[in-house]
């Protein structure tokens, strides 16, 4: 099922203009996500929220120009929160996509998030069979 996202729907994706080193680029990226990539309103809102938090993090560290963003700044941002591995993966996806967007608009720029790896998602351990159940299963298989 394809969902149409109108320009009016993208206006609710964020509040006031972005602070930090990205300025109007966050709004341009929001429009790109909604109108060109046709992502859902919730995804667009989550990406914009991630970028606004990222911009505030950078501004708090004195980074006012996006050319000064380095991989260690991205790593510091995702390491600071007590977020789940899935949330960190989404935040990194947001940041990578945004820096790729900037690179396509202004060639020659690097993507500082390109080589930052998300934490591994934890996987639950398999259930363990007790010795009695394992023995019964082996006896049933023996011809």
């Amino acid at each position: 099922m394809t969902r149409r996202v109108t320009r009016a729907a993208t206006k609710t994706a964020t509040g006031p203009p972005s602070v930090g080193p990205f300025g109007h680029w966050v709004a341009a990226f929001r429009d790109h996500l909604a109108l060109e990539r046709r992502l859902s309103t919730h995804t667009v809102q989550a990406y914009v929220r991630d970028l606004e938090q990222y911009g505030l993090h950078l501004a708090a560290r004195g980074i006012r120009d996006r050319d000064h963003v380095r991989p260690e700044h991205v790593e510091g941002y995702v390491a600071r929160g007590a977020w789940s591995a899935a949330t960190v993966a989404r935040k990194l996806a947001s940041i990578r996509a945004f820096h790729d967007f900037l690179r396509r608009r202004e060639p020659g720029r690097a993507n500082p998030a390109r080589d930052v790896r998300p934490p591994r998602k934890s996987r639950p351990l398999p259930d363990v069979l007790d010795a009695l159940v394992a023995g019964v299963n082996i006896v049933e298989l023996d011809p």
Side-chain angles (χ1 to χ4, degrees), residues 52-74:
E52 289 173 344
Q53 292 171 358
Y54 174 56
L56 288 170
H57 171 80
L58 295 174
R61 276 135 192 86
I63 300 167
R64 306 267 183 247
D65 183 348
R66 64 185 180 274
D67 290 331
H68 294 123
V69 178
R70 303 283 174 255
E72 54 269 16
H73 298 128
V74 177

Side-chain angles (χ1 to χ4, degrees), residues 18 31 41 44 53-54 57 60 64 68-69 93 111 124-126 131 134 141:
S18 178
D31 291 344
T41 302
V44 172
Q53 292 171 358
Y54 174 56
H57 171 80
R64 306 267 183 247
H68 294 123
V69 178
N111 184 342
L125 294 173
L141 292 175

Side-chain angles (χ1 to χ4, degrees), residues 104-116:
R104 284 190 305 275
R105 297 301 186 274
E106 298 177 349
R109 292 190 179 277
N111 184 342
R114 186 188 69 207
D115 295 327
V116 177

